[in-house]
Amino acid sequence: MDFLTLFLIYLGFVLTTGVLLCICSGRKENFLTRSVSGASQVLSLVIPTQLQRVAQRTCHRLFHMRSCLFVALHLALQAAVYGEYTWEVAVYCWELQFPLLPLLLPYLLLVGNMGCFILCSWTDPGVITTSNHSSLLKIYAYDGVLFQKGIVCPTCHMEKPARSKHCSICNVCVHRFDHHCVWVNNCIGASNAKYFIFYLLTLTAMAAAITTISAALLIQVVLLSDMLHGRYIDEQGQERAVGLLFLVQHLFLTFPRIVFMLGFVLLLTLVLGAYCCFNLYLALTNQTSNEWYKFRRSGGCSHHLTFQPQLREAVYKNIYSKGAWMNLKEIFKPPPVLAGKKK
């Protein structure tokens, strides 16, 4: 199976699972959710009931239970990209005498990324147990809005420490819960948040490096062939100068796999880069994805609020933020009492 076929299958799977995520999500409805819900009601009239039940069970299995499917998909996609890079881009670059170090950079980043991936997947994210519960209660103060004192987890039967949340997928309460990441098949919490940030950074750097080297290869091919000064005959029989569109079409016909991979990794770089920036913003402001979402969902009233007597307007104050440097230090060196063992 070639890269194009693999990517089309992956793209279709991502779009399908994205729709399923919208349907299965218990979050506040938005336009997309309502649209998908309406479409699913229409489809339910023509799709057999048995098939609907299979789809529901599959959706529950994928998004409400721990599964290695997304991990396998992630590794397969990574292997496909690096296979194309090795056998197409790197070989051509070597023949064109590109410097060796830039060609090896994606592989070095891959080693670092896999190390962060393993640490992020296997590290205890900060599971709350009977042995560490009392010490975790003292880590963060309750803000009285997002986190209330005295709330007991109905599943774990323990009082929830501030900034913790019960993960329905892992069926445990996690301290400083951020989110459950299906791509690493683990929760992201206080103890593995640093590995997750490095995982995102190296993943983004990998995509950016492959994008840059692939683009440099195609540019070098264009410059060596002197196509920029060439001319061609169009369908009307008129002679025209070579333009950008003609160059893209020519390169796609000559190097279809490289051009297609370049478009994919470029899109991946932009998406991962944006998500990386978002996570760095959360780290610098000492927020978690869970807290950020709860704040937005409640219309901006989910944080500690103080009221000015004269203006009578709510003023936002994040009680957990201690400045950018201390916030980062908290991520990369969490309190040692989090190192409790599971029971």
Side-chain angles (χ1 to χ4, degrees):
M1 184 181 295
D2 61 12
F3 177 78
L4 176 60
T5 304
L6 180 63
F7 176 68
L8 290 177
I9 293 175
Y10 169 76
L11 183 61
F13 182 81
V14 168
L15 293 175
T16 304
T17 52
V19 172
L20 290 174
L21 274 174
C22 292
I23 296 175
C24 298
S25 174
R27 296 181 174 181
K28 188 176 180 179
E29 288 190 349
N30 53 29
F31 175 75
L32 179 60
T33 307
R34 291 193 298 269
S35 300
V36 172
S37 178
S40 64
Q41 292 177 3
V42 174
L43 291 176
S44 65
L45 300 177
V46 296
I47 298 177
T49 304
Q50 186 175 2
L51 185 58
Q52 294 182 40
R53 292 175 180 173
V54 172
Q56 290 174 356
R57 287 196 296 268
T58 304
C59 183
H60 178 77
R61 175 68 181 173
L62 289 176
F63 304 113
H64 296 280
M65 298 178 64
R66 295 196 69 175
S67 173
C68 293
L69 177 63
F70 286 96
V71 175
L73 181 63
H74 160 244
L75 296 177
L77 183 62
Q78 202 168 53
V81 170
Y82 268 86
E84 288 299 315
Y85 173 78
T86 301
W87 298 113
E88 296 283 341
V89 177
V91 170
Y92 283 121
C93 288
W94 182 255
E95 292 177 355
L96 294 175
Q97 299 182 345
F98 273 55
L100 180 60
L101 184 58
L103 296 181
L104 294 178
L105 181 60
Y107 299 105
L108 298 177
L109 291 170
L110 177 62
V111 173
N113 179 258
M114 292 307 299
C116 294
F117 170 78
I118 293 173
L119 288 172
C120 198
S121 300
W122 292 358
T123 300
D124 181 353
V127 175
I128 301 173
T129 64
T130 54
S131 62
N132 62 15
H133 176 257
S134 59
S135 59
L136 292 179
L137 286 172
K138 304 173 184 177
I139 299 297
Y140 296 111
Y142 293 92
D143 63 0
V145 182
L146 270 181
F147 305 102
Q148 304 281 352
K149 185 176 178 59
I151 302 297
V152 177
C153 175
T155 303
C156 300
H157 305 292
M158 292 185 293
E159 182 181 356
K160 290 184 177 182
R163 311 192 76 181
S164 67
K165 186 180 185 297
H166 183 85
C167 176
S168 59
I169 299 177
C170 297
N171 199 32
V172 292
C173 282
V174 178
H175 190 61
R176 202 183 183 278
F177 178 85
D178 192 275
H179 71 288
H180 181 91
C181 181
V182 296
W183 301 105
V184 300
N185 197 26
N186 197 9
C187 289
I188 307 302
S191 298
N192 64 349
K194 54 181 176 291
Y195 303 131
F196 183 71
I197 291 178
F198 282 128
Y199 168 72
L200 284 179
L201 289 173
T202 53
L203 196 62
T204 305
M206 284 164 49
I210 293 177
T211 299
T212 303
I213 296 172
S214 301
L217 169 63
L218 295 179
I219 292 173
Q220 185 72 358
V221 168
V222 170
L223 294 177
L224 290 176
S225 62
D226 201 27
M227 290 179 58
L228 293 175
H229 301 94
R231 305 184 72 84
Y232 69 99
I233 306 299
D234 62 11
E235 296 177 353
Q236 287 75 31
Q238 297 180 353
E239 185 177 327
R240 295 183 180 276
V242 171
L244 179 61
L245 181 59
F246 180 87
L247 281 176
V248 173
Q249 291 176 344
H250 176 76
L251 290 173
F252 188 81
L253 293 175
T254 309
F255 308 100
R257 297 159 71 100
I258 296 179
V259 173
F260 193 85
M261 185 190 71
L262 174 60
F264 171 65
V265 292
L266 175 59
L267 177 62
L268 198 61
T269 302
L270 297 176
V271 173
L272 288 173
Y275 188 55
C276 242
C277 292
F278 173 69
N279 277 270
L280 289 175
Y281 160 75
L282 293 179
L284 290 170
T285 56
N286 207 330
Q287 298 182 76
T288 65
S289 298
N290 177 55
E291 294 164 1
W292 182 87
Y293 169 71
K294 289 174 70 175
F295 171 68
R296 295 300 182 277
R297 182 180 59 181
S298 61
C301 299
S302 297
H303 283 273
H304 182 73
L305 300 177
T306 58
F307 291 89
Q308 301 290 344
Q310 298 177 351
L311 300 179
R312 307 296 296 175
E313 293 181 355
V315 178
Y316 165 74
K317 182 182 179 182
N318 181 4
I319 67 171
Y320 303 115
S321 180
K322 307 176 184 66
W325 173 249
M326 293 302 296
N327 292 339
L328 284 177
K329 185 178 179 181
E330 184 177 311
I331 293 290
F332 293 100
K333 191 178 179 182
V337 289
L338 294 178
K341 295 182 179 180
K342 294 182 181 179
K343 282 192 176 183

